[in-house]
Amino acid sequence: MFSTSKFKKICTLICSLQFLLVSYAHAEDNSLLVSYGTVNQITNDEQAANYNPFPWLKPGLLNSARIELKFGSYGVQILAQDQVTGVRLSSLYSEHEGEKIARTIAFTQYEANINDKLGMAHKEILAGGSIGSTLKKYEFDVKKDLFFKGLVEDMPDRLQSLMHTQERAFATVIYNLVAKEGNNYYPYCTIVEVYSPEFLTLVDVDQIYPEPIPGSVNPQNAFDAIDIIDRMKQLIIRS
């Protein structure tokens, strides 16, 4: 049995997965069109063909690279970590006038059994390393299997403080991360990424991850999303 409120949460998440707030996206699309229309004109056709005023929105980049491209710097700060339960909460930040401003708050749940091939990379990540770039350093490709993208509301005030924002709704993705080496795939963790509105909007997320999410109306995905987001919120409050 589950409560009416949890059932409503599941329905809301399924709608978010299925429709992704079309009216919101339409409004944001208009603002993007305005932004593209106001950049300085480039007269050289070849330059114009290769010019991208928003390079951080290119699909396939690590989140750390996106932050550095947009804000000029990047760092990772571990806010909380429990190696017994295999969870980590981190702030992926940029610096502005000497302050660390969170651009992404990431909640990580590591796999219970991590392949020995990932041992060195995992040790470095537990010591504070950035997950994607550390796996890349050890010559693994990073594969993300998304099972949620949408807006998440009612985040703790602590998150707003870290992001220096008064906004209440945040573009969010949840994915299973797999390290790939040749034809071998090693499940590593599940990650929730909550983005600062100054960094990525839901429209931006759709541009980065344009493909439909497989099984997006699967109730189990909604249960999983609710559970991991709730656990993330509790860890943010305690951090």
Side-chain angles (χ1 to χ4, degrees):
M1 296 293 293
F2 53 88
S3 66
T4 301
S5 62
K6 179 150 285 193
F7 178 77
K8 288 180 179 179
K9 280 186 177 181
I10 294 168
C11 293
T12 301
L13 279 174
I14 290 175
C15 289
S16 178
L17 288 162
Q18 196 170 20
F19 299 108
L20 288 176
L21 301 175
V22 173
S23 61
Y24 172 85
H26 177 73
E28 288 293 307
D29 278 338
N30 288 340
S31 66
L32 280 178
L33 288 173
V34 171
S35 297
Y36 274 105
T38 56
V39 293
N40 293 332
Q41 184 178 3
I42 298 177
T43 56
N44 182 287
D45 288 342
E46 184 177 350
Q47 283 182 309
N50 295 323
Y51 181 67
N52 181 3
F54 306 122
W56 55 88
L57 298 182
K58 180 181 178 182
L61 295 176
L62 294 176
N63 196 44
S64 54
R66 296 188 196 284
I67 292 172
E68 189 161 11
L69 279 169
K70 183 164 186 178
F71 300 104
S73 63
Y74 166 77
V76 58
Q77 179 181 9
I78 307 303
L79 302 175
Q81 184 164 246
D82 187 338
Q83 295 188 25
V84 175
T85 58
V87 297
R88 157 171 138 163
L89 183 72
S90 54
S91 167
L92 283 62
Y93 66 85
S94 66
E95 292 193 22
H96 179 68
E97 296 181 350
E99 285 194 90
K100 296 177 180 177
I101 302 177
R103 306 304 182 179
T104 302
I105 296 297
F107 175 84
T108 302
Q109 175 71 68
Y110 299 110
E111 290 287 326
N113 297 301
I114 295 174
N115 192 286
D116 290 343
K117 286 273 190 178
L118 302 174
M120 292 297 293
H122 184 53
K123 183 178 179 180
E124 193 167 315
I125 288 166
L126 290 178
S130 183
I131 291 175
S133 57
T134 301
L135 290 172
K136 289 278 190 181
K137 172 184 171 181
Y138 285 91
E139 300 185 347
F140 293 98
D141 291 324
V142 174
K143 184 175 181 292
K144 299 178 181 181
D145 296 321
L146 265 69
F147 64 88
F148 174 81
K149 59 177 177 177
L151 284 178
V152 173
E153 299 180 338
D154 300 323
M155 296 300 289
D157 292 344
R158 166 77 166 143
L159 182 139
Q160 291 177 298
S161 176
L162 289 165
M163 291 184 172
H164 294 211
T165 182
Q166 298 299 314
E167 296 293 332
R168 303 297 302 181
F170 302 86
T172 301
V173 300
I174 309 176
Y175 56 88
N176 296 316
L177 186 149
V178 177
K180 180 178 181 294
E181 183 183 48
N183 294 324
N184 298 314
Y185 294 83
Y186 306 112
Y188 184 60
C189 62
T190 299
I191 296 180
V192 184
E193 291 182 349
V194 180
Y195 304 116
S196 162
E198 297 295 322
F199 177 34
L200 297 176
T201 67
L202 194 56
V203 173
D204 296 331
V205 169
D206 260 343
Q207 184 171 333
I208 294 167
Y209 303 107
E211 302 84 3
I213 298 177
S216 61
V217 295
N218 184 345
Q220 185 59 50
N221 285 349
F223 273 117
D224 292 343
I226 289 169
D227 177 64
I228 197 167
I229 289 171
D230 283 347
R231 287 191 289 127
M232 177 184 188
K233 288 179 179 179
Q234 291 303 312
L235 196 54
I236 290 172
I237 292 170
R238 297 198 302 270
S239 68

